[in-house]
Amino acid sequence: MNERLRRRVLDKETAGALRMPDPTVGPVVSLVRRLAIALGALFATALIVWLSRAGYVDNNDDGSGISFLDALYYATVSLSTTGYGDIVPVTDATRLVTTVVITPLRLLFLIVLVGTTVELLTERSRQAYRISRWRSRVRDHTIVVGYGTKGRAAVDTLLGDGADPSEIVVVDTDRTQLDAASALGLITVNGNATRSSVLRVAGVPYASAIVIATNRDDTAVLVTLTARELAPRITIVVAVRESENVHLLRQSGANSVIVSAETAGRLLGVATTAPSVVEVIEDLLTPDAGFAISERPVEETEVGGSPRHLPDIVLGVVRNNELVRVDHSSVDALERGDRLLYVRRASPADEDD
């Protein structure tokens, strides 16, 4: 009973907040296509009637016979199933054409018009079904709170590393930002991430990681506290503006804290004397070009060996969830379960350069 009640509450919270990505074809394009199909069926019917006009009788004929305008009128009233009966087929051939050709066109015309209406009326139900299906299947996804400059860069990096767009959930209060995220195929949640209900809608209890890229440090602290309370084991990565707030984020439960202002300042300082260093750092941080920093498990053949003797450029070893520099004596011999932080080639095409 408690589980049922919890699901009902979550469904209520989800309504209007969570949105699945829109189809590739926009609503205007879809509507234009359907209108073109309907008009095509209408003019095809009019042309068929006009070409076989000798087999039709107009009860209101003034002696001029069936014109193309009469044929278009007949097609309109026939496809819309109005059928006033003033123009009717009288020969066997035209009746056969009406049965075999015009009737299917009438059905196509109705399907297009009724289908468009029904789709507009049932879009919310379809969206609710897709949300329910996503919630029942989503596991180990990544949540990005804030889709500003930092949030977009984080998403680009995730996608560059091979993450599926359906495995990334963006939480923001700006509808424009959410529309931009949805256009990339990302799941979006409209709401304030400091509220536990919003994070539950985003699936925080089932997520593997959450990236907090808000514009205010105090907001980042509140989101971190809320996320850690809902998901004790989730990996929390936070970007802050001021270094004095790092310890607050650490105490709130953040696994990694990145000081955006200081990092940018250091790069600016380095660029004044060694601009090439900045280029290399930017190259390493770009996952889809040049070189990139990555992490992988130690292979069985590498166990017992030194990370400094591997073909890869190893920067560090992650052992027991702690990063140890490659020159530390404790990682002279690799162990099973270790993970290597190394430099990999992100663009195979560069090998030919």
Side-chain angles (χ1 to χ4, degrees), residues 254-319:
N255 299 95
S256 299
V257 182
I258 299 171
V259 184
S260 57
E262 278 197 4
T263 301
R266 288 171 184 169
L267 290 178
L268 290 173
V270 171
T272 60
T273 56
S276 298
V277 174
V278 178
E279 290 184 15
V280 172
I281 294 175
E282 289 181 345
D283 183 20
L284 292 174
L285 294 177
T286 305
D288 54 355
F291 292 93
I293 299 177
S294 188
E295 186 177 318
R296 68 171 178 84
V298 170
E299 299 178 1
E300 189 65 28
T301 56
E302 297 170 341
V303 174
S306 172
R308 295 190 291 273
H309 298 158
L310 296 178
D312 297 322
I313 302 176
V314 180
L315 304 177
V317 177
V318 180
R319 177 175 295 172

Side-chain angles (χ1 to χ4, degrees), residues 171-304:
V171 182
D172 207 313
T173 55
D174 189 328
R175 174 54 64 183
T176 303
Q177 305 284 25
L178 295 177
D179 290 341
S182 183
L184 294 177
L186 310 177
I187 313 299
T188 61
V189 175
N190 185 3
N192 189 341
T194 60
R195 298 174 54 189
S196 59
S197 59
V198 173
L199 291 182
R200 278 197 296 266
V201 169
V204 163
Y206 310 106
S208 62
I210 178 171
V211 177
I212 302 174
T214 57
N215 293 325
R216 293 170 55 97
D217 289 359
D218 54 351
T219 303
V221 172
L222 290 176
V223 176
T224 302
L225 286 169
T226 306
R228 180 57 70 199
E229 180 183 10
L230 294 175
R233 298 183 179 179
I234 193 174
T235 299
I236 301 178
V237 181
V238 190
V240 294
R241 292 176 176 271
E242 305 296 336
S243 59
E244 62 185 20
N245 295 322
V246 172
H247 74 284
L248 293 176
L249 271 305
R250 295 284 187 185
Q251 292 176 359
S252 300
N255 299 95
S256 299
V257 182
I258 299 171
V259 184
S260 57
E262 278 197 4
T263 301
R266 288 171 184 169
L267 290 178
L268 290 173
V270 171
T272 60
T273 56
S276 298
V277 174
V278 178
E279 290 184 15
V280 172
I281 294 175
E282 289 181 345
D283 183 20
L284 292 174
L285 294 177
T286 305
D288 54 355
F291 292 93
I293 299 177
S294 188
E295 186 177 318
R296 68 171 178 84
V298 170
E299 299 178 1
E300 189 65 28
T301 56
E302 297 170 341
V303 174

Side-chain angles (χ1 to χ4, degrees), residues 327-350:
D327 58 349
H328 199 278
S329 60
S330 63
V331 293
D332 282 343
L334 295 173
E335 301 176 0
R336 290 182 179 85
D338 288 347
R339 297 186 65 85
L340 301 179
L341 194 69
Y342 72 107
V343 177
R344 65 174 175 85
R345 185 179 294 275
S347 300
D350 293 344

Side-chain angles (χ1 to χ4, degrees), residues 11-188:
D11 288 338
K12 187 176 181 180
E13 293 170 346
T14 301
L18 180 63
R19 189 179 71 171
M20 306 300 292
D22 296 327
T24 305
V25 179
V28 176
V29 175
S30 178
L31 186 61
V32 170
R33 285 182 181 178
R34 296 184 183 196
L35 182 61
I37 293 174
L39 292 176
L42 178 64
F43 281 98
T45 303
L47 183 62
I48 292 172
V49 173
W50 185 71
L51 292 176
S52 56
R53 56 189 178 276
Y56 289 84
V57 170
D58 185 356
N59 294 323
N60 300 318
D61 191 8
D62 56 359
S64 60
I66 304 293
S67 65
F68 184 77
L69 182 59
D70 294 330
L72 186 60
Y73 162 76
Y74 173 79
T76 302
V77 297
S78 295
L79 294 187
S80 64
T81 69
T82 306
Y84 294 117
D86 46 356
I87 301 178
V88 293
V90 293
T91 65
D92 292 340
T94 52
R95 287 175 178 172
L96 180 63
V97 169
T98 300
T99 303
V100 177
V101 180
I102 295 181
T103 298
L105 288 174
R106 178 186 295 119
L107 294 176
L108 176 62
F109 186 84
L110 292 176
I111 288 172
V112 171
L113 293 185
V114 175
T116 302
T117 304
V118 171
E119 182 175 355
L120 292 175
L121 293 175
T122 60
E123 178 61 27
R124 185 168 182 176
S125 298
R126 290 174 59 244
Q127 185 74 199
Y129 170 75
R130 294 171 64 195
I131 289 173
S132 176
R133 186 181 179 189
W134 173 81
R135 277 180 40 214
S136 64
R137 295 186 176 186
V138 65
R139 292 293 185 277
D140 298 328
H141 57 294
T142 301
I143 300 171
V144 178
V145 177
Y147 199 62
T149 303
K150 293 176 290 186
R152 287 171 185 262
V155 169
D156 291 342
T157 301
L158 291 171
L159 295 176
D161 285 339
D164 191 279
S166 62
E167 297 176 350
I168 301 175
V169 180
V170 173
V171 182
D172 207 313
T173 55
D174 189 328
R175 174 54 64 183
T176 303
Q177 305 284 25
L178 295 177
D179 290 341
S182 183
L184 294 177
L186 310 177
I187 313 299
T188 61

